[in-house]
Amino acid sequence: MKTEKLKLAILDMNNDEPNQGLRCIAEIAHVFTDDVSIQIFNVRAKQELPDTSFDIYISSGGPGSPLEEGEWRKPYLQLMQNLWDINKTNAEQKKHVFFICYSFQVICDYFQLGAIKPRRSTSFGILKVHQTKKGHNDLIFEGLNDPFYAVDSRDWQLIQPKLTVFKKQGATILSLEKIRTHVELERAIMAVRFSEEFVGTQFHPEAEPVSMEAYFNREENKKKVIDSFGKEKYAQMMDRIDDPDKVALTYKTILPKFIQNAIIKNKQPVMS
């Protein structure tokens, strides 16, 4: 008997703008190359999309409005609907999908889970993320502290969850921006499990601390952060990058656990 590799598609949503996230996603995925083959698709800039034969899909963050009506949008959402439908009808081979930041906002809008609105100001830095009760029991957070720390970089947010839609779909809120019980519905939602196979985060679980530190130590990048957010925010971010219990722990936990779980659930021995 031999074991056939699963297929993993990385959906690049960066619209050809320079970024670190795509490289980090690919580096995490390549840890699992004994079990998966990897292919990258440039969705927004080139309208490249995989078919439904892949087993695992990771859809990246990206710039701009998650509500934009680009040429890529309809085919992208149709692919996601097709994968969702396959999971509903196929008891054996499931399609596992992870959505990051921009992609998370796009799919939450598609599922009509709440209001996707611009923030008054950009949320940027290494910030606390609080788990909900459901989040405490979710495999992607297993081993993380509560609150844990993650890289946040966004101008938009999911707020005002439609709890009846969540219930009907079977979706659950896994984490929140901060605990403010007196304004519960205005807290930004930071992670959602849409189904057993579909999950996403508003933050960037792929952010890798060593390359982040090198990137933000460059004078031109340091200046951009200080000019936009101030010296205190820059100092806080650089201090948290070095902490093994913050970004490094999140990086080693969430996406690796998602991929490993998909491999365990889907990998089947085939006769040679």
Side-chain angles (χ1 to χ4, degrees), residues 131-139 141-142 173-175:
Q131 297 178 41
T132 64
K133 289 181 180 179
K134 293 287 187 181
H136 286 151
N137 297 318
D138 200 274
L139 67 93
F141 292 162
E142 188 178 315
I173 298 170
L174 300 182
S175 65

Side-chain angles (χ1 to χ4, degrees), residues 2-20:
K2 69 175 182 179
T3 302
E4 186 177 85
K5 282 189 177 184
L6 300 180
K7 294 168 65 179
L8 189 155
I10 298 175
L11 307 186
D12 175 6
M13 304 293 280
N14 288 282
N15 208 20
D16 274 352
E17 290 198 14
N19 72 94
Q20 295 291 312

Side-chain angles (χ1 to χ4, degrees), residues 11-240:
L11 307 186
D12 175 6
M13 304 293 280
N14 288 282
N15 208 20
D16 274 352
E17 290 198 14
N19 72 94
Q20 295 291 312
L22 190 69
R23 177 186 58 78
C24 292
I25 294 169
E27 286 182 357
I28 292 171
H30 274 93
V31 171
F32 298 92
T33 50
D34 285 347
D35 297 299
V36 299
S37 61
I38 301 162
Q39 191 170 346
I40 298 175
F41 297 84
N42 190 335
V43 178
R44 292 171 69 191
K46 296 183 179 178
Q47 286 78 58
E48 295 175 352
L49 278 173
D51 57 24
T52 59
S53 69
F54 287 75
D55 305 283
I56 307 168
Y57 301 75
I58 301 175
S59 193
S60 80
S65 167
L67 305 180
E68 73 160 279
E69 292 293 339
E71 290 183 27
W72 59 271
R73 190 179 188 91
K74 187 175 180 180
Y76 172 85
L77 290 173
Q78 185 60 60
L79 170 64
M80 295 306 150
Q81 185 62 58
N82 291 343
L83 298 175
W84 183 270
D85 293 342
I86 289 170
N87 286 341
K88 294 297 183 185
T89 58
N90 190 328
E92 295 181 358
Q93 290 295 316
K94 300 292 189 180
K95 307 298 180 178
H96 294 257
V97 189
F98 198 104
F99 303 90
I100 298 172
C101 196
Y102 183 89
S103 298
F104 172 80
Q105 295 162 353
V106 170
I107 199 67
C108 285
D109 176 68
Y110 178 68
F111 285 137
Q112 300 181 336
L113 294 181
I116 303 293
K117 293 186 177 180
R119 291 177 52 86
R120 291 182 180 177
S121 61
T122 300
S123 178
F124 178 82
I126 298 170
L127 306 177
K128 288 181 180 180
V129 180
H130 292 265
Q131 297 178 41
T132 64
K133 289 181 180 179
K134 293 287 187 181
H136 286 151
N137 297 318
D138 200 274
L139 67 93
I140 66 167
F141 292 162
E142 188 178 315
L144 289 182
N145 302 315
D146 185 22
F148 62 91
Y149 286 80
V151 172
D152 198 20
S153 178
R154 59 191 167 91
D155 294 308
W156 293 75
Q157 60 185 352
L158 170 65
I159 57 173
Q160 299 168 2
K162 297 178 181 177
L163 300 181
T164 54
V165 178
F166 268 86
K167 185 176 181 180
K168 181 179 180 180
Q169 183 171 304
T172 54
I173 298 170
L174 300 182
S175 65
L176 299 163
E177 180 179 31
K178 60 182 67 174
I179 301 298
R180 293 182 300 174
T181 56
H182 60 292
V183 285
E184 181 176 352
L185 294 184
E186 288 299 322
R187 284 180 285 168
I189 296 168
M190 299 300 283
V192 170
R193 180 165 290 284
F194 307 94
S195 70
E196 189 172 340
E197 297 82 23
F198 277 42
V199 65
T201 62
Q202 174 65 88
F203 55 86
H204 288 270
E206 81 281 14
E208 191 271 309
V210 174
S211 59
M212 274 190 67
E213 185 170 21
Y215 179 81
F216 286 110
N217 268 326
R218 295 177 195 162
E219 198 57 41
E220 65 271 24
N221 297 326
K222 177 179 179 180
K223 184 177 185 302
K224 284 180 185 177
V225 175
I226 291 175
D227 288 348
S228 298
F229 303 103
K231 290 183 179 180
E232 185 177 347
K233 173 69 77 173
Y234 178 81
Q236 179 197 67
M237 182 178 69
M238 297 306 289
D239 180 60
R240 289 176 174 177

